[in-house]
Amino acid sequence: MMPTTVSIFEVGARDGLQNEVAVTTQAKLQLIADLAASGLTRIEAGSFVSPKWVPQMADSADIFTQMPRVKGVTYSALTPNLKGFELALASGADEVAIFGAASESFSQKNINCSIDESIERFIPLMQIAKQHSIPVRGYVSCVLGCPYEGHIEVNEVARVSEILYKMGCYEISLGDTIGVGTPVNARRMVEAVAKVVPVEKLALHFHDTYGQALANIFACLDMGIATFDASVAGLGGCPYAKGASGNLATEDLVYMLHGMGIETGIDLNKLATAGNNISQIIGRKSASKVANALA
Ligand code: HMG
Ligand code: MG
């Protein structure tokens, strides 16, 4: 059955801006305020990773301490390890996300350790998050393919997802990091993961490199998943997945869902304006077809 309401997890300020030319803290604060004003209630606002690895996110503590909070909005941070978690906590993040991968090579390139080592590092983070009642989201990367290994077995995606879920992640976001997936494969992957993690605890995070993200989401919409990650203006990519483009543009997702009579709580025009403004600052056209059509 199709959902009547969908929850959108906005990753533009993190997954998007981590892989664009660096913008000022002020520009990020404006973007985050605009996103909240459009009706988005789940906003990933930054990431506490090594500034040597991802300099674009080096001002995340400033973002979290300076941004005006809108009631009802959850501001989330990406945290690879305990150090990142402690920085996020000190900056007032409402929730954090850990990130693992279904590909050994990608895990090494992205977080400099094996899949098993990454899970070991998450254990103390999960314990401290629990003590502070901070919800933790879990990402799994490369669920439909890897830039280094190519094909990824769905069983490996299911294995890592189950571990993160059992560790206490409240939701598992399945990432097609390089946007290579196609609808039938996406469904098969979700079917495999749904055997070990309740389907309503899954989210889909599709980069749109090959233009398949919307089709993939449509293919999975009747499977019981009602949470999708998206990036305003299609911002971003992944610094450790060469050639990857941004996530599906939030505007395009909202347009499709509203067209199907599915509620999101988002004002599409306000969202498109937010995306157009940040695209102008970055100096490129919005990657959202819908935003360009509306303009
Ligand atoms: P490492 O070099 O192995 O870490 O990096 P280390 O523990 O050996 O520490 C080395 C240095 O980093 C030390 O500083 C630490 O203090 C510092 P030094 O003594 O050299 O001055 N350090 C930190 N600094 C700030 N924040 C921290 C932190 N941790 C250590 N949290 C590490 C390991 C994980 C830190 C590194 O590999 C890293 O930062 N990786 C992040 C990569 C990243 O951000 N990738 C993009 C996000 S993931 C993504 O986009 C995918 C997703 O969207 C889903 C999808 O699409 O699939 C989520
Ligand atoms: Mg991503």
Side-chain angles (χ1 to χ4, degrees):
M1 232 185 38
M2 290 289 181
T4 52
T5 307
V6 150
S7 169
I8 296 184
F9 190 90
E10 170 60 46
V11 297
R14 191 282 301 172
D15 202 347
L17 294 183
Q18 78 181 6
N19 204 39
E20 301 283 357
V21 292
V23 300
T24 62
T25 303
Q26 194 51 46
K28 290 183 184 179
L29 291 170
Q30 186 64 53
L31 171 65
I32 292 163
D34 291 347
L35 293 171
S38 79
L40 283 157
T41 56
R42 303 174 77 190
I43 298 177
E44 201 167 53
S47 98
F48 293 89
V49 298
S50 163
K52 285 181 195 143
W53 287 59
V54 187
Q56 292 94 325
M57 292 287 114
D59 60 349
S60 290
D62 296 333
I63 298 292
F64 275 89
T65 47
Q66 290 174 31
M67 70 188 168
R69 310 273 176 136
V70 173
K71 209 167 159 246
V73 176
T74 299
Y75 297 93
S76 183
L78 199 70
T79 54
N81 52 21
L82 194 54
K83 175 166 179 155
F85 177 80
E86 281 164 350
L87 292 168
L89 187 68
S91 306
D94 299 321
E95 109 177 16
V96 301
I98 55 176
F99 49 111
S103 152
E104 275 302 340
S105 323
F106 186 81
S107 182
Q108 289 289 351
K109 293 268 202 265
N110 193 39
I111 48 177
N112 206 23
C113 63
S114 69
I115 296 173
D116 288 348
E117 281 164 349
S118 73
I119 286 158
E120 286 299 314
R121 287 180 193 178
F122 297 148
I123 293 171
L125 187 161
M126 294 302 298
Q127 283 167 345
I128 300 201
K130 200 172 171 194
Q131 283 167 20
H132 291 273
S133 305
I134 299 281
V136 183
R137 197 170 195 244
Y139 283 104
V140 181
S141 287
C142 299
V143 300
L144 291 168
C146 168
Y148 312 104
E149 294 182 15
H151 178 75
I152 295 292
E153 289 294 331
V154 293
N155 290 343
E156 186 58 8
V157 181
R159 184 183 79 86
V160 177
S161 300
E162 184 179 19
I163 292 171
L164 294 185
Y165 183 66
K166 288 198 168 151
M167 283 176 91
C169 291
Y170 77 91
E171 181 170 273
I172 304 297
S173 176
L174 301 166
D176 183 8
T177 317
I178 51 171
V180 290
T182 45
V184 174
N185 290 344
R187 272 187 83 92
R188 284 199 190 116
M189 182 275 296
V190 170
E191 265 161 23
V193 180
K195 285 186 184 140
V196 291
V197 178
V199 72
E200 67 276 9
K201 303 290 184 188
L202 299 177
L204 297 178
H205 175 108
F206 290 152
H207 286 254
D208 203 25
T209 319
Y210 287 78
Q212 305 294 300
L214 213 45
N216 292 342
I217 287 178
F218 182 76
C220 299
L221 254 182
D222 66 351
M223 299 182 81
I225 299 187
T227 301
F228 301 99
D229 299 359
S231 175
V232 71
L235 291 174
C238 175
Y240 301 103
K242 211 168 187 303
S245 71
N247 282 80
L248 173 61
T250 316
E251 299 92 318
D252 297 6
L253 176 60
V254 168
Y255 181 85
M256 180 183 83
L257 294 171
H258 288 182
M260 295 172 70
I262 298 172
E263 283 174 31
T264 64
I266 294 164
D267 179 324
L268 180 57
N269 286 311
K270 284 187 184 168
L271 178 67
T273 303
N276 293 340
N277 289 344
I278 189 72
S279 299
Q280 205 167 29
I281 289 169
I282 286 167
R284 70 163 168 84
K285 200 172 155 203
S286 170
S288 162
K289 289 207 162 175
V290 167
N292 291 330
L294 290 173

